[in-house]
Amino acid sequence: MTPSVAPPSGRGRLPRSYIVWLAGVLASMLGDTVLYFALGWAASAHGGSVAGLVLTAINLPRALLLLIGGAVGDRFGARKVMLIGDGVMIAVTVSLALVAFRWATATWLLIGAGLLIGAVDAFYLPASGSMPRRLVGAEKLPKALALRQTGGQVVALAGGSLGGLIVAAGDLSGAALFDAATFGVVLWVMTSIRPTQETAKAATRAGAFRDAADGLRIAWRNPVLRAALVLVSAAAGSLLPVISLLMPLLARHHGWGPGTAGVVAAAQSLGVIGVAVLVAGRGGSGR
């Protein structure tokens, strides 16, 4: 008699806690996409220099603090960092909506908002990125990550068009309030789940900086990581400004409204989804 072979455990259903968490995170990603579009659109009204400053204000704190943010998440726990980050972002986005309603889209407001958002992201993104591993077992992790990646691209596709509609109807204030509402959703989700793999190290300031330095050393000494980081950095520097910076400027130059600009921004995600489906069906190139 031929013994029955059990199916791989990775093909089973993902835990309910992960599905609930992913729904909340995707809602928050949708709000972020709408707000980033609104910030870029508002900044482009002041010209290319201001638009570039706002984009830099968001990304510079991320680059400078991201390793520290990852170390803090390791030491205090990803769930705790996300709860604090959600609360801070609700306060930031509601304040942005109120100030923008009173003083419109002043340059100082756009740059200040970008700095705050980038600083919070530096701590929030590593914590959020570690949550799939904390909510599912190792055998189901590839399935969990694939679902998150696909959902993220669908959200980006919808977020561009939705951002254009919200900006056309409610300007920056409307986009900020929409983002605040989505952070409220993920805050509620995070209070209702408990990661099964959550571990937190003893929290010391020196230890957090040491962990960040260790991450840099590992990345530099590993030839695969070093090459990958250089490639990703070069691609990000060349591609990200096209949609975030150049597209709003071109849209205003041609007299397009925010709705049309949002559709063009969404087309990038449609292209990413198309390539992902092609690779999934035919496999990657050997070269």
Side-chain angles (χ1 to χ4, degrees):
M1 179 181 295
T2 303
S4 59
V5 179
S9 56
R11 293 183 180 180
R13 292 183 177 180
L14 292 169
R16 180 178 178 275
S17 59
Y18 179 76
I19 299 300
V20 173
W21 172 82
L22 182 61
V25 167
L26 291 179
S28 180
M29 289 175 61
L30 181 63
D32 288 345
T33 303
V34 168
L35 181 60
Y36 294 155
F37 176 86
L39 286 171
W41 181 258
S44 66
H46 299 278
S49 298
V50 172
L53 283 175
V54 173
L55 182 64
T56 301
I58 296 174
N59 289 294
L60 186 60
R62 284 181 184 174
L64 295 178
L65 299 175
L66 196 63
L67 287 174
I68 301 297
V72 169
D74 285 341
R75 292 186 168 270
F76 290 92
R79 180 175 179 270
K80 184 179 296 185
V81 171
M82 289 187 68
L83 286 170
I84 295 173
D86 290 329
V88 172
M89 282 304 300
I90 290 174
V92 169
T93 48
V94 170
S95 299
L96 174 61
L98 295 175
V99 176
F101 182 77
R102 174 63 178 82
W103 282 284
T105 54
T107 300
W108 62 268
L109 174 61
L110 298 176
I111 294 176
L115 289 172
L116 288 173
I117 292 170
V120 175
D121 277 355
F123 293 87
Y124 194 91
L125 293 178
S128 178
S130 72
M131 286 298 291
R133 182 63 183 88
R134 301 175 191 273
L135 292 170
V136 304
E139 71 281 357
K140 296 179 181 178
L141 187 59
K143 183 177 180 179
L145 294 176
L147 185 60
R148 182 184 181 184
Q149 177 71 13
T150 303
Q153 291 302 325
V154 172
V155 164
L157 175 62
S161 300
L162 182 61
L165 294 175
I166 290 178
V167 170
D171 209 2
L172 179 59
S173 294
L177 287 177
F178 181 81
D179 197 23
T182 62
F183 272 109
V185 171
V186 75
L187 179 62
W188 174 78
V189 167
M190 290 304 300
T191 60
S192 64
I193 63 172
R194 297 280 178 176
T196 58
Q197 311 290 332
E198 185 73 278
T199 57
K201 303 177 183 178
T204 62
R205 182 180 302 177
F209 282 98
R210 185 171 58 248
D211 287 350
D214 288 342
L216 282 175
R217 282 192 290 269
I218 291 173
W220 180 252
R221 292 172 181 173
N222 187 296
V224 176
L225 285 177
R226 185 169 64 244
L229 288 174
V230 171
L231 177 61
V232 170
S233 299
S238 301
L239 298 177
L240 291 182
V242 173
I243 298 298
S244 302
L245 178 61
L246 299 183
M247 193 280 298
L249 293 172
L250 287 172
R252 287 189 179 274
H253 176 73
H254 290 287
W256 301 342
T260 303
V263 172
V264 175
Q268 181 194 30
S269 296
L270 185 62
V272 172
I273 294 173
V275 172
V277 170
L278 179 63
V279 173
R282 301 183 58 180
S285 169
R287 295 177 63 86

